[in-house]
């Protein structure tokens, strides 16, 4: 299995999403976390399977929720750049990616 690293901003993304879903309905954040874990597990099993979307950034979309896990796969390490809502334009967060 590959090593995975979350940049600080990606952890903040996840925290914000979890808090928002919990405000919407008690327990919904737990459902989100399960779907996020499933997406991360899929990436860990086969990080090359997902298409490059923005230069060297790949995206694994989460089931049931409108979010994508954006990551780089380089030298055997998976680096999660962020967890972004599908309605967000890449231009809004491209500074984080250095694009």
């Amino acid at each position: 299995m590959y090593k995975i690293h979350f940049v600080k901003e990606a952890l903040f993304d996840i925290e914000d999403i979890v808090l928002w879903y919990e405000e919407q309905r008690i327990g919904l954040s737990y459902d989100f976390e399960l779907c996020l874990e499933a997406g991360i597990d899929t990436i860990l099993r086969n990080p090359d399977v997902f298409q490059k979307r923005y230069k060297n950034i790949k995206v694994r979309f989460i089931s049931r929720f409108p979010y994508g896990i954006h990551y780089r796969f380089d030298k055997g390490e998976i680096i999660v750049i962020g967890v972004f809502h599908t309605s967000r334009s890449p231009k809004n967060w491209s500074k984080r990616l250095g694009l």
Side-chain angles (χ1 to χ4, degrees):
M1 190 153 315
Y2 299 100
K3 283 195 219 178
I4 189 164
H5 171 73
F6 290 79
V7 299
K8 176 179 55 173
E9 292 86 354
L11 296 174
F12 292 149
D13 291 341
I14 294 167
E15 182 180 14
D16 289 344
I17 296 164
V18 166
L19 291 172
W20 189 85
Y21 276 121
E22 195 59 28
E23 287 177 4
Q24 304 312 303
R25 189 181 84 219
I26 294 173
L28 188 57
S29 63
Y30 180 71
D31 292 345
F32 172 78
E33 289 178 57
L34 290 175
C35 291
L36 178 65
E37 277 185 36
I40 291 168
D41 286 344
T42 304
I43 292 169
L44 284 168
R45 281 194 307 276
N46 196 351
D48 280 325
V49 76
F50 300 100
Q51 174 184 0
K52 287 183 181 176
R53 299 291 287 236
Y54 317 103
K55 296 198 179 190
N56 64 342
I57 304 300
K58 295 177 178 241
V59 181
R60 163 64 162 106
F61 292 102
I62 298 170
S63 64
R64 289 191 54 218
F65 293 90
Y67 287 89
I69 303 165
H70 293 66
Y71 69 98
R72 285 192 317 241
F73 180 57
D74 188 33
K75 299 176 186 166
E77 185 176 24
I78 299 161
I79 302 165
V80 177
I81 303 299
V83 179
F84 301 114
H85 195 278
T86 55
S87 68
R88 287 179 69 184
S89 168
K91 292 177 183 176
N92 294 339
W93 46 262
S94 61
K95 288 180 184 174
R96 182 185 301 186
L97 305 176
L99 300 176

